[in-house]
Amino acid sequence: MTMGNRKRLKRESIIQTALQLFSVNGFHKTTIPDIAQKLGMSVGNLYNYFSSKDILAQEIIKYTSEVLGEKIREVNMLDVSAEEKIHKIVEIYFTMAKEKPEMIEYFLRVYLSNREVFSSGCEGMICVSEFITEIMIFFDDAVASGELRNQDFFSAFGLFMGYLGGMVFLKGEGVLPKEIETYIDDISRNIYNALKA
Amino acid sequence: MSAKAKPALLWLQSITCNGNSHSFLNHPDLFSILSHFELVYHPILETGQTIEKMLAGTLPCDVLVLEGSFRQKGLRKNGVEVLEVALQYAHKAEHIITAGTCATFGGIFKQKAPDAISGFCFDEAEQTPRYRQYADKLISLPGCPIHPKWLGYVLMMIADGRQIPLDEMHRPQELYGITVHTGCSRNEYFEWKVDTKGFGLKEGCLFYEQGCQGPYTRGSCNRILWNDISSKTIAGTPCLGCTEPDFPRTTLFETKTRMGIPETMPLGVPRRAYLTATGIAKSFKIKRFEERIITYDR
Amino acid sequence: MTVKKLIEKIEGEAELDFSLKNGSVEDVTINFGFYRGIEEIMISKAPRDALVITPRVCGICNHAHLMAAVQAIEHGYAGTGISVELTDKAKAIRDFTLACELIQNHVKWFYLTILPQLEHLTKEESKENHALKASYLSTTITKALAIFAGQWPHSSYAVPGGVTCDPTYVDVMQAQALVDETVRFFEQVMTGISFDAYEQIDSVAQMHEIKGDIGRLLYLLGHYDMAKRGQSHDRFMVLGETTGFVQGKSIATTIANVDVRYVEEQPQSGTTAKAVTYKKRQYEVGPLARAMVAKDPLIRSMHKRYKDSLLTRIFARMHEVAYLLRICQTLLKGLDLRQDSCTLEGHLLASDFEGIGMVEAARGSLIHKTVVKERCIENYEIIVPTQWNLSHGTQSEKGIAVEAMVGSQSMDEASFIFRAFDVCSVCTTQ
């Protein structure tokens, strides 16, 4: 294993561990020494990877956006209808919420709730640009093919992502009576019906 | 043409508004350029030849300048089909210059009868049956109207005996290898995705709302200025895409978008790359770009 | 005997069928060629697309078409309750650029058509390159225009609510210098006297003071006894609402108000151009009409002696150059850049409206009418100045130019009288 590869894996494991601790103990209560201790590495060494907790927080959101963006990009490449793509995107999001809840929770509870942490270095959409770009491409294709109604980006984006985020939030609060994946079909249909041409 | 004789230049009009002729008359070095040629016939300038003689197809012609779009039949002058006359001279000529979008692609007047009217060698972006016969001497100079300096450049290159590098549609690369966006005075606003707040402001980019086609329209309007002083985009008017084969498009003063995303990307830029760069640039609020450049005593 | 003659070196070409009797012209039929169908092309397009498409009616008076098109939209918007109040600055800029186009047109016509043709006719050929003068003047004054409009020909910089440009005083100073250069040309080349001295001339008696190329024109017309030729119905019309010009009609020397509702278009046989009348009568439009309606002292003085003759008609067009240059100077001097360039938000678009725009183009009153339904143009109508001046006429009276040509001693003379109207075939066959 090369040095570069080892560093990359170490970096990812720090992100994974931090994500877990943030979701269990909360962002503010989790400290760098907590993360280092859990990983069995020295605090000094961890600072070699991320020079501050804020930087770490920003890198995590970029990482999340990349993972999500990569998956939606695969959907965008498929030669299927916009209705099917919506279904697949909802599926990706909810599956992630179930299998890696810390990731989606991080987005909702840390990124959206602690804007001051992200004000310098993560302005606007920089740190989520991969994810946003793929959603834009999905919308653009679907309007070009005549499947979705043309409108302002944010009115469509808010309906789509606000809805999904809301459901994951309810899940996180423990108020959803059923497993989240059981809602995929209905929610996909609702989104499609709301946005279709 | 003997070694010493000047090349014979013949300017022939078909379905046109005369805009290319008038545009070229505004070339500040017009007569210096023309001094390299023997001007055989021109619709406005005196040459000593009459239109009747020109229409008879018997005048000498080394460089043929065509203005206006063409139809197979139905445009007669003095009882002669203009296309027939054009073909006679095209056959003789060593260079054929289609001056303007009408002569090159069909242009505005094509819209009256899209099946019957076209450019001389192109019908919008498609080659006409005439293309094969004249391709080796064809120089396309689209633009509605033609930029005087663009035609001046081509004529001087011919007079100098130089080879003009052309693209696949026979447009000189030195003129059409770049887009109208190149050199636009609003470039900083495009870079940082700051749209103009409305017509009549020197600040802001016209690409996002006002329908500017500059980033995907070929032409050097902002490098070789119009009337030596300005351009549409400098004057706050969107580029209307007048050099392109599909000119004119529709709803020209609005940017066509899909969910807020411009329908047409800057020339050759992949959509994903554009959206990524845009998302990043838009994330910054840069104070200088939100302010007026000049504050007159208000 | 009927003889066909193809007239070139005008805007496009026209075919005249002369009916001759004992060598003199008894009647003329004017035919224009190919119909391009701009009005039809406009149908179902977005209303503001007219600002791009209609200037392409004409390569020499495209700017006037832009102004008529934008005024038609603004008039239509106003009818739906959208307030379209232009700032003084926007109005001044529009009037300035339109005036520049008129100057360009008149001077080009003078040097490219009138002087060379008059020289041919009188066989008084000069060795001068008239075209060089035309090109120099046109290049200079359209540069001033382009400072504001971006380019000439075919600018689309006038939009509902104002203009797209946002000039600085750097721009204004350059425009002023270019106008001054044009004035210098008018003094040194065209008239041989100072601009101030020219403006003092207000009667035929003083016209001998005019030298230069206009002086030569006056000499040739006088010397070859052409001053009183080419008289027509002596009826004039100005419909445009353009700064510096007065709306109204003039019959002989009586001025009255006009109402565009009395303007009628009729198809004519044998030509693609439609005729246009006011209360079924023929009217002349253009610089002579504008000077007559505005009671310009010098043109009125000429008219008193020569009526609506070739001389008065040609001179009125050149006289207007001086008038417009002064307007240009005044407009630029008065520009207040603190005011807004455009007062109407781009998204404020009315979906249904009918509007009419009337401007004074180089050749006379130009009218655009637009009818918009559900944001699409349902009907578009353009009435160009040449339709007034060059129609065949009605049962009861001949068209303006035809009347002027009748009685000519030769076809060449009649052709010259025809060209004195500054013929634009491309406008006529929109």
Side-chain angles (χ1 to χ4, degrees), chain B residues 229, chain C residues 96 136 140-141 143-144 147-148 169-185 325 328-329 332:
Chain B
I229 205 151
Chain C
F96 172 76
Y136 176 74
T140 305
I141 198 67
K143 189 172 181 176
I147 287 174
F148 301 95
Y169 287 109
V170 175
D171 298 320
V172 177
M173 294 305 117
Q174 289 189 82
Q176 279 183 348
L178 290 161
V179 171
D180 290 348
E181 174 65 11
T182 311
V183 169
R184 200 178 63 87
F185 182 94
L325 280 169
C328 282
Q329 288 180 329
L332 289 180

Side-chain angles (χ1 to χ4, degrees), chain A residues 8-177:
Chain A
R8 193 175 55 77
L9 284 178
K10 192 77 192 165
R11 208 180 125 87
E12 254 178 54
S13 72
I14 296 170
I15 287 174
Q16 293 291 354
T17 307
L19 268 171
Q20 272 174 18
L21 290 176
F22 287 156
S23 78
V24 176
N25 303 329
F27 177 72
H28 287 296
K29 284 189 181 151
T30 307
T31 63
I32 289 285
D34 292 343
I35 299 165
Q37 192 190 9
K38 176 106 194 220
L39 282 157
M41 67 195 288
S42 72
V43 174
N45 193 18
L46 199 152
Y47 277 122
N48 287 335
Y49 289 89
F50 300 100
S51 59
S52 72
K53 195 170 109 180
D54 283 5
I55 297 283
L56 173 59
Q58 291 178 6
E59 291 302 316
I60 294 175
I61 195 66
K62 279 187 208 163
Y63 172 78
T64 315
S65 160
E66 275 166 32
V67 171
L68 214 47
E70 185 55 40
K71 287 189 190 295
I72 298 172
R73 182 179 179 145
E74 283 165 20
V75 175
N76 280 337
M77 302 291 207
L78 297 174
D79 186 20
V80 297
S81 70
E83 191 175 1
E84 281 174 80
K85 284 183 184 172
I86 289 175
H87 194 276
K88 286 190 188 300
I89 293 169
V90 173
E91 201 175 335
I92 286 167
Y93 201 85
F94 284 177
T95 308
M96 208 156 163
K98 192 174 167 80
E99 289 171 2
K100 292 184 176 172
E102 68 283 358
M103 236 178 184
I104 302 284
E105 290 222 344
Y106 179 81
F107 182 78
L108 295 172
R109 289 176 190 272
V110 180
Y111 178 65
L112 293 182
S113 327
N114 298 281
R115 298 297 299 150
E116 72 285 358
V117 176
F118 301 92
S119 62
S120 162
C122 268
E123 290 93 342
M125 301 220 174
I126 301 180
C127 295
V128 290
S129 84
E130 304 227 19
F131 165 68
I132 300 285
T133 298
E134 294 307 326
I135 291 290
M136 280 180 160
I137 285 173
F138 161 73
F139 280 148
D140 190 16
D141 286 343
V143 173
S145 64
E147 293 167 277
L148 297 192
R149 185 171 59 83
N150 196 6
Q151 57 182 295
D152 181 80
F153 170 73
F154 283 98
S155 60
F157 178 77
L159 182 123
F160 200 144
M161 286 302 145
Y163 193 179
L164 298 191
M167 289 303 287
V168 173
F169 184 80
L170 292 178
K171 171 184 171 292
E173 294 294 305
V175 298
L176 280 189

Side-chain angles (χ1 to χ4, degrees), chain C residues 274-291:
Chain C
K274 287 180 190 161
V276 56
T277 54
Y278 185 88
K279 287 191 177 171
K280 316 263 184 230
R281 297 176 87 183
Q282 305 289 314
Y283 282 84
E284 175 169 351
V285 297
L288 175 55
R290 294 193 281 254

